[in-house]
Amino acid sequence: MIIQKTENSRISAFDPNNFSFGNTFIDHMIICEYDNGKWGDVKLVPYGPLMFTPAMMGVNYGQACFEGMKAYKDKDGQVFLFRPEKNFERINKSAKRLAMPQVTEEMFLDGLKALVDIDRDWIPQGEGMSLYIRPLIFATEEALKARVSNKYMFAIVATPAKSYYTEPVSVKISDHYSRAANGGVGFAKAAGNYAASFYPTQLAIEEGYEQIIWTDDATHEYFEESGTMNVFVRINDTIYTPPTSEKILDGVTRDSFIQLAKKRGIEVKIEPIKVKDVIEAQKNGSLKEVWGVGTAVVTTVFQALGYNGEKLQLPRLSEEESYAESLKRDLVNIQSNLSEDPFGWRVQVDHVLETA
Amino acid sequence: MIIQKTENSRISAFDPNNFSFGNTFIDHMIICEYDNGKWGDVKLVPYGPLMFTPAMMGVNYGQACFEGMKAYKDKDGQVFLFRPEKNFERINKSAKRLAMPQVTEEMFLDGLKALVDIDRDWIPQGEGMSLYIRPLIFATEEALKARVSNKYMFAIVATPAKSYYTEPVSVKISDHYSRAANGGVGFAKAAGNYAASFYPTQLAIEEGYEQIIWTDDATHEYFEESGTMNVFVRINDTIYTPPTSEKILDGVTRDSFIQLAKKRGIEVKIEPIKVKDVIEAQKNGSLKEVWGVGTAVVTTVFQALGYNGEKLQLPRLSEEESYAESLKRDLVNIQSNLSEDPFGWRVQVDHVLETA
Ligand SMILES: Cc1ncc(COP(=O)(O)O)c(C=O)c1O
Ligand SMILES: Cc1ncc(COP(=O)(O)O)c(C=O)c1O
C-alpha cells in the first residue's frame, strides 16, 4: 500500500458534537485503479477530487456498486469494524452481477483498516456515534459505447455519523412501483437501484408516508424490503423475514438480527411474507411489530402501514416488550464493545499508522 | 450561452477514415450545472476533465440518465439532426423517473445545435457516417446519503461514428435474466439499466449468441426489447412490435420504422409479442424476419433465435425482400438528406459559430 498522508489535516475544524453527516469527509481516502486487466497499487491519499469527463462510463452506463459499513469507538478509544468480511463478500457479488472486476482482500480489508486507523481521530465517541464507511467500485473509462468498461476505480471514503436514534415511521406497502425484477440486480448493491427508488419514495411521502415497503413487481403480494433496509414482521411472538433471493439484498444487519433472535430463544421464520397475512394479522390484533434493519440506523420501527389507501396502525410497544428494540440493543452493545461478542463479529483496528 | 472556444483544436490529428468510435471526442462539450434549485448558465467549453471525488452521488446512487442521437452531413456538407425534440422529451421523462431536475429546451436543443455547429468539421461524411451525440444528466453532489442529490450536471459530449453496417447476429431469447421490472425504470434511459444488462449478455455470448431478446421478468413469455434496441417481428407480411410501456424504451427509430412501414403500405401491429407465437411461426415457416432497431446501427438483423437450448434459424432474405432492410434504407435516406422528408424529421444545423 502506498501511503501519502495529508499535510493539511482538517481535523482541528471538526466538531464531533456538531457536524453534518454524509458530507463531512475524513482526511484520507483509499483509491486503486484497474486498467489492462488488473488492479494497480492500493493508495491511501488525501480525500479530494479526481479528474473525470462527462464521458466517464460510470455515470453513463451505471457500472457502479458500493458498500455501507461502520467503525465504532468504545469508551476506551479502541476502534472496531463490524463483520467487514460480509461487506467484502457482498461487494464482489455486486461487482460480478454488474460485470465489473472483483476486488482483493488486500484492497478491501487492508484498505479499510489502514483508512480507519489513520483517521481514527475522526470517529466520534458515544452512544450511537460511528464512522460511516463507503467502499465503492465504478467504471472510469471514457467511452460512449454501451459495453463493459476497461477501466475502474475502487475507492473507500468515509464520513462521521451521528446517533441513529429514529422516530417510528409510517410506511406504504407498494402496490405499483418496485425496486427489483426477477433476473435483475436487486440482490446487488448496484448504484442504479437507489436512483430508481427515489421517485416512488417521493410519491409515498406526498401521500403522508416516510418510506416504502417494496413488494414483488409481478403481483405486489409479497414483502421484499423496506426503503434501503431488510424487513421483519412479528406476529404474536414469532418473527418473520423473507429469504434472500436475487431480488433481496443479503443484509448484514438482517443476518445479525436472525442470529441474535435465535440466541434470545425467539422463534424466527425465514419465509416469504404475504401482504395479505400481515394485513389479516393487523386486523385480528396478532401483528405486534414491523421494522426495517440496516447498517445506517440499525432499526427503524414502523408505526403504521399504508395499504389500499388505508393507514393501518401498529401497536406501540415498550422498549422491553419490543423485539425490534431488544435486538437492536443486543447488536449495538456488541458493535460498540459494551457486551461480550459470542459470535466473533468485532474486528479491532490496530494502531499501525500514527497520524503523529 | 457562454462560449469558450478551444485554443488547442485536435481536429488536424483526426482522420475521418481511421478513427476509433466512442473514444475520439470532438473539441468541445456543453455543460450546465444545477444547484440551489436551478440550472446555471449553459456553457460551450473545450472537451476535458472536471473534478469529482468518489463521493459523487452519480456514481454512488446511479442518479444518471442519457440520450443517444446523431448528426448527419449530406454530400454538400449541410448538417442535420434527426427528430431531436424526441430525445429532448425522453431525457426529461427519464429525469422525472429518477427524481432529477428536467432540462430546458435552451439547454438541450440550443446546446445541441451550438455544439454540432462549432464542431461540424468533426462530422465524417459518406454512407452511414455520422456524429454520435450523448446528452446526459448526472448527480454531482458529494454526499454519502441515499437520497436525491441537490447538485447535477447536464452535459453534451460527442464522438464521430462510422458506418453502421452490421452482420446478422444470433440472439438468445432470455429465459432467466431481465432488464426491467413492473413499476421499475425500463422505459427510462437510466444509466443503471445498461450496467444490469452486461452480465446476462456476457453469458449469452458464452453460449454462442451476440445479443439477448429481453422478455418480461415474471413469465418470460413476451418479447420486450433486444439488446439496447427495440424489436420487430415479421410474420408473413405483417410486422409486429410490442407497445411501449413502463418496461420498454420509447425508441425514436422504432417510432420512425412504424411510420415508414405504414407509408409503404405494410401492415404494422403494435401488440404484445408472445415468444410461443414466434417459435410456432418459425416452425411453420411463416416467420420471415426478426430485427432490432436503434439510433446506433439503425437495424440489426437476426439470423437465429436461441430458445430452450435450440438455435432456430431465420430465413435469409435479399435486400429487396427484407422489410428490415427496406425500412432502414428509407430512414437512412431521410437522415442523410438523400430523399424527401415528408415527415419533417430533419432539423438543419445552421452556421452560426464559425471555428475560423
Ligand atoms: C437495499 C438495501 N437493503 C438492505 C440493506 C441493509 O443491509 P446492511 O444490513 O448490510 O446494511 C441495505 C443497506 O444498508 C440496502 O441498501
Ligand atoms: C434500451 C434501449 N432500447 C431501445 C433503444 C432504441 O432507441 P432509439 O431508437 O431512440 O435510439 C435504445 C437506445 O438506443 C435503448 O438503449
Side-chain angles (χ1 to χ4, degrees):
Chain A
M1 193 176 306
I2 295 172
I3 293 175
Q4 185 197 332
K5 287 190 194 178
T6 183
E7 284 169 9
N8 299 297
S9 173
R10 292 172 274 102
I11 187 94
S12 60
F14 171 62
D15 177 356
N17 299 310
N18 183 23
F19 64 92
S20 166
F21 167 71
N23 45 26
T24 301
F25 296 97
I26 63 173
D27 276 333
H28 299 88
M29 63 182 181
I30 295 283
I31 56 173
C32 184
E33 288 179 83
Y34 183 95
D35 196 4
N36 289 315
K38 60 177 195 304
W39 290 106
D41 289 323
V42 182
K43 296 179 193 164
L44 191 156
V45 298
Y47 174 81
L50 306 161
M51 311 276 265
F52 299 113
T53 79
M56 193 231 286
M57 294 182 85
V59 291
N60 281 268
Y61 305 117
Q63 256 194 314
C65 62
F66 67 97
E67 275 303 324
M69 51 200 304
K70 287 183 169 178
Y72 308 86
K73 192 178 264 179
D74 75 5
K75 57 181 189 344
D76 303 321
Q78 298 181 100
V79 173
F80 300 91
L81 294 169
F82 182 72
R83 308 184 76 182
E85 71 289 351
K86 298 284 281 180
N87 301 89
F88 170 60
E89 283 163 22
R90 193 168 63 188
I91 201 170
N92 279 338
K93 271 193 220 164
S94 299
K96 184 176 176 201
R97 180 60 181 82
L98 298 172
M100 300 167 80
Q102 304 196 18
V103 298
T104 64
E105 244 182 73
E106 188 214 342
M107 290 162 63
F108 192 95
L109 295 173
D110 296 353
L112 211 50
K113 286 177 198 161
L115 182 65
V116 171
D117 180 19
I118 202 166
D119 281 338
R120 60 174 66 232
D121 292 346
W122 284 89
I123 310 175
Q125 212 162 7
E127 171 91 45
M129 308 290 264
S130 63
L131 181 72
Y132 179 82
I133 311 168
R134 166 63 50 83
L136 74 156
I137 317 174
F138 57 100
T140 54
E141 188 183 348
E142 281 159 28
L144 305 178
K145 293 183 196 178
R147 57 136 174 86
V148 166
S149 173
N150 290 313
K151 297 184 188 176
Y152 297 89
M153 173 166 283
F154 168 70
I156 310 179
V157 291
T159 177
K162 287 182 208 187
S163 165
Y164 28 51
Y165 175 75
T166 52
E167 289 286 339
V169 301
S170 297
V171 290
K172 177 179 169 154
I173 300 176
S174 190
D175 51 13
H176 175 72
Y177 290 103
S178 63
R179 69 173 287 285
N182 295 294
V185 297
F187 71 94
K189 247 177 126 71
N193 289 344
Y194 297 82
S197 74
F198 295 156
Y199 179 69
T201 304
Q202 285 181 344
L203 294 181
I205 289 170
E206 283 168 22
E207 288 182 56
Y209 300 96
E210 274 96 357
Q211 270 178 30
I212 289 180
I213 292 190
W214 301 104
T215 49
D216 67 293
D217 78 307
T219 68
H220 300 292
E221 284 176 12
Y222 293 91
F223 276 27
E224 288 187 343
E225 301 198 39
S226 157
T228 56
M229 296 183 292
N230 291 109
V231 66
F232 281 85
V233 170
R234 171 181 171 191
I235 294 175
N236 292 321
D237 290 339
T238 303
I239 67 180
Y240 298 81
T241 191
T244 55
S245 71
E246 63 180 1
K247 302 205 285 173
I248 295 179
L249 196 87
D250 186 357
V252 179
T253 318
R254 172 187 175 280
D255 183 77
S256 306
F257 263 59
I258 291 169
Q259 296 192 49
L260 289 166
K262 288 184 179 159
K263 185 154 174 292
R264 272 190 180 252
I266 297 169
E267 187 176 26
V268 186
K269 291 196 173 162
I270 298 168
E271 55 184 56
I273 298 177
K274 276 201 153 170
V275 175
K276 193 165 67 49
D277 294 345
V278 175
I279 301 303
E280 211 173 278
Q282 193 273 345
K283 305 265 184 207
N284 71 27
S286 59
L287 183 66
K288 294 288 185 301
E289 301 178 75
V290 184
W291 71 94
V293 305
T295 295
V297 292
V298 185
T299 284
T300 300
V301 169
F302 303 150
Q303 61 179 0
L305 304 177
Y307 181 67
N308 264 349
E310 264 190 285
K311 211 165 188 169
L312 308 171
Q313 299 298 320
L314 287 164
R316 279 224 149 194
L317 305 185
S318 69
E319 274 209 36
E320 289 66 42
E321 292 168 319
S322 164
Y323 285 176
E325 296 292 356
S326 309
L327 295 169
K328 175 176 183 173
R329 208 176 328 114
D330 290 352
L331 181 57
V332 165
N333 286 346
I334 294 177
Q335 286 171 334
S336 49
N337 197 24
L338 283 169
S339 70
E340 287 303 295
D341 176 19
F343 304 99
W345 286 339
R346 280 194 300 263
V347 174
Q348 189 161 356
V349 178
D350 297 326
H351 271 88
V352 178
L353 306 161
E354 289 296 333
T355 27
Chain B
M1 194 178 304
I2 295 172
I3 293 175
Q4 185 197 332
K5 286 188 193 179
T6 183
E7 285 169 9
N8 299 296
S9 172
R10 291 171 274 102
I11 187 95
S12 60
F14 171 62
D15 177 356
N17 299 308
N18 183 23
F19 64 91
S20 167
F21 167 71
N23 45 27
T24 301
F25 296 97
I26 63 173
D27 276 333
H28 298 89
M29 64 183 180
I30 295 284
I31 56 172
C32 183
E33 288 179 83
Y34 183 95
D35 196 6
N36 290 315
K38 60 178 194 305
W39 290 105
D41 290 322
V42 183
K43 296 179 193 162
L44 191 157
V45 298
Y47 174 82
L50 305 161
M51 311 276 265
F52 300 112
T53 78
M56 193 232 286
M57 294 181 86
V59 292
N60 281 269
Y61 305 117
Q63 255 194 315
C65 62
F66 67 97
E67 275 303 322
M69 52 200 305
K70 286 182 170 179
Y72 307 87
K73 192 177 266 178
D74 75 5
K75 58 181 186 347
D76 303 321
Q78 298 182 98
V79 173
F80 300 91
L81 294 169
F82 183 73
R83 308 185 75 182
E85 71 289 351
K86 297 285 280 180
N87 300 90
F88 171 60
E89 283 163 22
R90 193 167 65 188
I91 201 169
N92 279 339
K93 270 192 220 165
S94 299
K96 185 178 175 198
R97 181 59 182 82
L98 298 171
M100 300 167 81
Q102 304 196 17
V103 297
T104 64
E105 246 183 72
E106 189 214 340
M107 291 162 63
F108 193 93
L109 295 174
D110 296 352
L112 210 50
K113 285 175 198 163
L115 182 65
V116 171
D117 181 20
I118 202 166
D119 280 339
R120 59 175 65 231
D121 292 347
W122 284 88
I123 310 175
Q125 212 163 8
E127 171 92 44
M129 307 291 263
S130 63
L131 181 72
Y132 179 82
I133 311 168
R134 166 64 48 84
L136 74 155
I137 317 174
F138 57 100
T140 54
E141 188 184 346
E142 280 159 27
L144 305 178
K145 294 182 195 178
R147 56 133 173 91
V148 165
S149 174
N150 290 314
K151 297 183 189 178
Y152 298 88
M153 174 166 282
F154 168 70
I156 311 179
V157 291
T159 177
K162 286 180 209 188
S163 166
Y164 29 52
Y165 175 76
T166 50
E167 289 285 341
V169 301
S170 298
V171 290
K172 177 177 169 155
I173 299 176
S174 189
D175 51 13
H176 175 72
Y177 291 102
S178 63
R179 70 174 286 286
N182 295 294
V185 298
F187 71 95
K189 247 177 125 72
N193 290 345
Y194 297 82
S197 74
F198 295 155
Y199 179 68
T201 304
Q202 284 181 343
L203 295 180
I205 289 170
E206 283 168 22
E207 288 181 57
Y209 299 96
E210 275 96 357
Q211 271 180 29
I212 289 179
I213 292 191
W214 301 105
T215 50
D216 67 292
D217 78 306
T219 67
H220 300 292
E221 285 176 12
Y222 292 92
F223 275 28
E224 288 187 343
E225 301 199 40
S226 156
T228 57
M229 298 183 290
N230 291 110
V231 67
F232 281 85
V233 169
R234 171 180 172 191
I235 294 176
N236 291 321
D237 289 339
T238 302
I239 67 180
Y240 298 82
T241 191
T244 56
S245 72
E246 63 179 1
K247 302 204 286 172
I248 294 180
L249 195 86
D250 186 357
V252 179
T253 317
R254 172 187 175 280
D255 182 76
S256 307
F257 263 58
I258 291 169
Q259 296 193 49
L260 289 166
K262 287 184 178 158
K263 183 154 176 293
R264 272 190 180 253
I266 298 169
E267 186 175 28
V268 186
K269 291 197 172 161
I270 299 169
E271 55 185 55
I273 298 177
K274 274 201 153 168
V275 175
K276 193 165 68 45
D277 294 344
V278 175
I279 301 304
E280 212 173 277
Q282 193 273 344
K283 304 267 184 207
N284 71 27
S286 59
L287 184 67
K288 294 287 184 300
E289 301 179 76
V290 185
W291 71 93
V293 304
T295 295
V297 293
V298 186
T299 284
T300 301
V301 169
F302 303 149
Q303 61 180 359
L305 304 177
Y307 181 67
N308 264 350
E310 264 190 286
K311 211 167 189 166
L312 307 171
Q313 298 299 317
L314 287 164
R316 279 227 150 191
L317 305 186
S318 69
E319 273 209 37
E320 289 67 40
E321 293 169 320
S322 165
Y323 285 175
E325 297 292 356
S326 309
L327 295 169
K328 175 176 183 173
R329 209 176 327 113
D330 291 350
L331 181 58
V332 165
N333 285 347
I334 294 178
Q335 286 170 334
S336 49
N337 196 24
L338 283 169
S339 70
E340 286 304 295
D341 176 19
F343 305 99
W345 286 340
R346 280 193 300 261
V347 174
Q348 189 161 355
V349 178
D350 297 326
H351 272 87
V352 178
L353 306 161
E354 290 295 334
T355 26

